[in-house]
Amino acid sequence: MQAYHTEVLLLNPFTPEPSLIERAATLLRTGNVVVFPTETVYGLGADALQPDAVERIFVAKERPFSDPLIVHIATSTDMQRLVTHIPSQAERVAEAFWPGPLTIILPAGPRVPHIVTAHLPSVAIRMPRHPIALALIRAVGSPLAAPSANRFMHISPTTVHHALADLNGRVPLMLDGGPCEVGVESTVLDLCSPVPTILRPGGVSIEALRTVLPEVQLLPKRTSSQEDDHNTEHDTAQKSPGQMRIHYSPSVPAVLFEGSEAFIHAAMQAEIHKQRAAGRRVGVLVADEDRAFFEQSGALLYAVGSVTRPEEIASRLYAGLRTLEDARVQIILCRNFNEHGLGLAIRDRLLKATGGNVYREEASERPQG
Ligand code: TXA
Ligand code: MG
């Protein structure tokens, strides 16, 4: 892989400087990759219509070619050029949620390179609402393929510092637009299946989607035998590749605690005790309301926000996991939150971060690790 001196440009996130956008656009037009902010997480972009440029994304991230990319557009007419046809459902959700944190899966047109879709017959499309992302796509004059700007299997970046931690020296340029507003990735909605199906919960809630598409469903839960089948996960492109169980994981083991608040407090406290007795440094990811309870616990505390504000929790979730990881804790204990609105995406990411290692109130066995 080519080594770069990674340059970071600070931009105004509301009215990005045209001269700085142009510098990034020139790199992208000539087949290079650039890290840029979106309202969800930072993306690692390349011109979606240049296969060699898109290949550089996979190399920089060490991402398997079997995992397809989202194509980012700036106008609805860009969508027409990427698909064979636009179902009326797509028009309705695009009208309601674009620009914004919603990705829709549509039948791929012949112009979309196979490297983008991992040879699937469908393509993922999203119109982000971040002014830097929109200005960049317009300046390049071509849609941008962009996964999250992290190394494969790591947590998505919500600041340029997170992206630098993973990709410094692997890309020529990063645009710094400050922290991402939403903080979890876009909702991926499959409009190629008979019933519109959410493949990945994200920044647009299922409740919001149902106001436009009442029939929308969540991807049926996979059986545990499918979930345990890690070895074959990357061998072929799958219908819902984002559903890989271990995906957004920090590099330290993590456990999710679920149940009543009293249970969570007691169980987490007991686990902190046990881990510390074994000489391990423990990190806990909790709500603002839990601060007082854990203050004296001896664990490193990261409070992601109030239980009453899922937007706040989502926007700080990945920074919290990275902060604990950087502090070199040896295990991270996370509490669950309710599943309304963005809560569904938060729970999904916590399940992925913990690799499904959940300690439930009704369960009798203790978590491993
Ligand atoms: O918010 C986001 O979506 C961020 C920002 C940068 O836009 N991007 C992002 O990209 O999260 P990535 O590559 O980390 O996740 C894209 C997800 C993956 O789970 C991928 O497998 C899925 O979308 N995907 C892409 N194309 C697909 C397709 N044709 N069919 C089904 N799933 C697809
Ligand atoms: Mg990703």
Side-chain angles (χ1 to χ4, degrees):
M1 185 187 17
Q2 197 176 335
Y4 295 94
H5 167 77
T6 302
E7 190 180 0
V8 179
L9 293 177
L10 183 65
L11 276 77
N12 182 321
F14 305 106
T15 51
E17 297 78 353
S19 62
L20 302 182
I21 290 290
E22 188 46 40
R23 274 176 64 187
T26 303
L27 276 171
L28 289 163
R29 271 188 235 109
T30 53
N32 291 288
V33 294
V34 171
V35 169
F36 64 96
T38 81
E39 73 279 20
T40 56
V41 300
Y42 275 72
L44 171 61
D47 180 346
L49 303 182
Q50 295 186 44
D52 291 347
V54 175
E55 188 176 342
R56 290 186 160 161
I57 293 175
F58 288 91
V59 172
K61 282 194 62 147
E62 296 176 36
R63 177 174 170 124
F65 288 105
S66 55
D67 200 358
L69 304 179
I70 297 172
V71 178
H72 296 69
I73 60 174
T75 66
S76 294
T77 40
D78 294 343
M79 170 160 68
Q80 288 159 18
R81 302 197 191 99
L82 299 169
V83 301
T84 54
H85 70 280
I86 300 176
S88 71
Q89 296 159 327
E91 277 169 5
R92 273 147 61 203
V93 291
E95 169 75 25
F97 301 107
W98 280 358
L102 177 70
T103 295
I104 55 181
I105 309 289
L106 293 173
R111 291 181 68 205
V112 182
H114 292 309
I115 189 170
V116 171
T117 60
H119 293 272
L120 289 172
S122 59
V123 60
I125 304 179
R126 148 162 139 84
M127 189 191 294
R129 68 166 175 247
H130 198 295
I132 293 177
L134 288 172
L136 190 60
I137 299 162
R138 288 202 187 96
V140 174
S142 184
L144 295 180
S148 48
N150 51 278
R151 294 259 197 118
F152 182 61
M153 300 283 274
H154 200 207
I155 309 159
S156 293
T158 53
T159 67
V160 84
H161 305 286
H162 298 162
L164 263 179
D166 279 21
L167 300 176
N168 193 12
R170 291 168 172 252
V171 302
L173 182 67
M174 297 190 181
L175 304 183
D176 182 357
C180 300
E181 173 201 341
V182 179
V184 293
E185 300 84 346
S186 61
T187 302
V188 178
L189 177 67
D190 187 1
L191 293 180
C192 291
S193 51
V195 180
T197 304
I198 294 175
L199 302 182
R200 177 179 75 180
V204 171
S205 69
I206 187 166
E207 293 91 340
L209 275 172
R210 285 213 167 113
T211 63
V212 179
L213 288 184
E215 67 273 35
V216 76
Q217 64 170 12
L218 278 172
L219 188 71
K221 283 210 171 58
R222 303 199 305 166
T223 66
S224 55
S225 69
Q226 281 171 309
E227 283 193 4
D228 289 340
D229 198 9
H230 289 154
N231 296 336
T232 56
E233 269 177 343
H234 295 132
D235 294 351
T236 48
Q238 345 163 39
K239 182 70 182 165
S240 54
Q243 294 300 308
M244 287 182 299
R245 185 166 152 225
I246 300 181
H247 194 151
Y248 308 87
S249 35
S251 52
V252 281
V255 187
L256 179 60
F257 289 78
E258 285 194 343
S260 66
E261 194 173 279
F263 167 80
I264 291 172
H265 282 178
M268 283 177 80
Q269 183 74 277
E271 191 63 24
I272 293 169
H273 233 80
K274 186 181 125 195
Q275 294 291 339
R276 292 190 73 226
R280 296 196 192 96
R281 281 166 64 81
V282 184
V284 294
L285 191 118
V286 292
D288 291 353
E289 289 86 346
D290 304 315
R291 253 182 206 286
F293 185 86
F294 289 107
E295 210 101 67
Q296 308 297 324
S297 68
L300 199 66
L301 199 71
Y302 193 101
V304 279
S306 169
V307 285
T308 61
R309 291 194 292 274
E311 286 76 17
E312 182 177 55
I313 295 168
S315 73
R316 301 188 60 202
L317 185 66
Y318 291 156
L321 290 170
R322 279 188 185 253
T323 301
L324 294 173
E325 192 183 276
D326 291 348
R328 306 226 183 285
V329 300
Q330 290 153 299
I331 184 163
I332 299 176
L333 312 181
C334 309
R335 67 157 288 166
N336 77 325
F337 302 94
N338 79 56
E339 291 182 29
H340 302 302
L342 276 187
L344 196 64
I346 292 167
R347 179 177 150 78
D348 176 74
R349 302 313 188 271
L350 283 172
L351 280 174
K352 282 169 175 158
T354 56
N357 196 11
V358 182
Y359 188 27
R360 285 192 188 88
E361 184 154 19
E362 60 277 12
S364 51
E365 86 233 61
R366 318 240 337 139
Q368 298 119 39

